[in-house]
Amino acid sequence: MKSKFLWIFVSCIVVITLVAWSCNDGTGGEEEEEEEEEEEEEEPQYGGTYTSSSSADVSYFDEVVGGNYGGHVYAPTTKLTHNELLQGDWTKGPAGSGETDFINSSDNRMDLKTGCLADWWEIPEIGTIVFHIREGVRWQDKPPVNGRLLTPEDVEFSINRATSAGYFAYFYAEMSSTLEVTVDSNARTVTCTVPVDQWVNLLTLIPDYMSIVAPEVTELYGGETNWRNVVGTGPFMLTEYVSNSQLTYVRNPDYWETDPIGPGKGNQLPYVDRYRSLIMVDPSVREAAFRSGQLDILAGINYNDAQPVITDPKMSEALYRSYLPSGTFCMFFRTDMPESPFSVKEVRQAMMLAIDQPMIRDEYYQGHAEILTWPLTPSKEYVDAYMPLEELPDNVQALFDQDLEAAQVLLDQTAYAEGFDCEVVCYSTPTMMDILTMYQEMLAEININMHLHVYDVSDYSTRTRSRNHGAYEIMYTTDSGNGTYLKMIDFRGPGAYNPSYINEDYGIPEIEEAYAEIVQYAGTNEAEVMRIHRELMPWLLEQAYCIPSPVAEYYSIWWPWVKNYYAASAVGYYNVGSAIKYRWIDQELKEEIRY
């Protein structure tokens, strides 16, 4: 989605797609199932403090500044204190039907959503969505709003504010400038209309991404620029913020929402009295805090860092779940420049054939990784939009394995039979350097000499955002994640997530025909949208527009006193932290295990 910076992707990696799940409690499968069933019948408890950690300080509190992720990915803020018009449907998650796992923050299927501040919605025609605003919702009892009732005009104000300045207005200027918002106060409806060509942007930005804010806060303070001015309709109120230390939230006693499923169905949410997010930059500090019980969970731990915890007999009480991140690093090329060797499909294919992806998966990641990761990583939610490697045509499957002889045959058909020198734009992380060094050695086998240009993070981010790499430069950066698949922004248009300049001018018929068909179903028929995307994949992958890297498993680890957890995090589109309202703490069990 939206032009996120690399550091945001790295942070966001904590909340994404489920691949496998394990509990190391020493029991057999049948007994484990019985224990899980017993746990599902437990009556939720109110009270207690839930504590997690964040790897960096809060960037800002007002999401209009930079989108809703920057203010809460590092330390959940917006989605604890505020609500959106729609949200993920918890009854379809792991506590209910299991249609989604709510691990992947970028999932954005309309058929997996339910009402939030809009208790229902309708799409009378493509380009128009009508929100029916819920009655009886109150703003938090804090100045300057002081607990008054939410109105449709508040929603209108929030939409107009978000699209008139800041993130939306800058990165989605055409949608923002063409959006029409109308209110019917008597019917309590807010209607949003855009031209058809902006429909998918509206769907992914307004319903379940943009928080509803109080007009009084903007009028009095210019926005939620200070943590003390943060006031929403959400389940928690922010009561303390110490920079680079912690954030503290307390339960909103007037919160409107009730638990929709399970033994606690009908209970007012949230369950915990207090939530703390401790800002811990050093992974070893986070691990020590978890081991001592100061943290209730460890989320977003890579495979190597997770092993010492999940294999430690002293940690046998802890539970864990593994998953694949939504999104991957790729080597992106200037396919639009005739003077670039990367504009030649055979060169790109030869490069793919020179790289031994199975070896990287099996040896570097010990088999705990996925090879086919662009333009989607495999996930339960998007299984019908993704074509597995083994189902692709043989010639496409071959691109994901090493064949140096076939690579040279392809190069011999081009003007680059003798190879060439090039440079890859990157920054220094252990994994990035390891992977690119392996790529460097493999490409040298076909006389493609790739030099690593290592930038600091700030300069690297500037370059990836601007896509200013040249004819002989490769941009090693991330795609946008699974939830934007219907927008095709990884391989269509001028956005930051299309560093290979694929279909930059919308002139590739295969892509444009598929996109035009998707627009007709967006928001109303997700099955058809996924079918269209899946059918495009064999052709798209055969073009070798980029070289995706294998994606390794990550882990979430938690203590068993955290109930109704499931490793779920974002109940809705980038609603990071929104699952906290459903969790509760078994305080008796916590005392028993800790002491």
Side-chain angles (χ1 to χ4, degrees), residues 419-430:
F420 55 89
D421 291 346
C422 60
E423 189 174 90
V424 60
V425 175
C426 58
Y427 79 101
S428 183
T429 67

Side-chain angles (χ1 to χ4, degrees), residues 236-367:
F236 292 94
M237 297 185 290
L238 180 59
T239 58
E240 180 188 31
Y241 166 61
V242 180
S243 180
N244 287 302
S245 178
Q246 71 175 33
L247 296 98
T248 302
Y249 305 81
V250 299
R251 184 177 187 269
N252 176 9
D254 302 316
Y255 188 53
W256 59 271
E257 190 176 4
T258 59
D259 196 335
I261 197 169
K265 184 175 182 180
N267 288 349
Q268 184 188 2
L269 297 173
Y271 287 109
V272 297
D273 285 339
R274 182 175 289 100
Y275 167 62
R276 291 193 309 153
S277 177
L278 306 182
I279 300 168
M280 297 177 169
V281 178
D282 188 338
S284 64
V285 173
R286 291 199 298 273
E287 180 183 328
F290 177 75
R291 285 177 175 272
S292 67
Q294 295 177 59
L295 292 179
D296 295 314
I297 68 165
L298 278 179
I301 309 302
N302 68 43
Y303 175 81
N304 290 329
D305 289 345
Q307 298 313 301
V309 180
I310 66 178
T311 61
D312 186 348
K314 295 179 182 179
M315 300 296 292
S316 60
E317 300 277 5
L319 309 176
Y320 65 89
R321 192 171 192 168
S322 62
Y323 58 88
L324 280 186
S326 166
T328 185
F329 281 86
C330 302
M331 291 205 298
F332 291 102
F333 315 115
R334 289 303 298 259
T335 63
D336 62 319
M337 290 182 169
E339 66 271 27
S340 171
F342 311 123
S343 66
V344 181
K345 180 173 74 170
E346 288 76 12
V347 171
R348 303 192 301 265
Q349 291 176 330
M351 293 176 70
M352 287 195 71
L353 288 167
I355 293 174
D356 194 344
Q357 302 280 27
M359 183 278 287
I360 295 173
R361 175 195 61 198
D362 298 336
E363 296 184 18
Y364 185 77
Y365 290 120
Q366 298 93 47

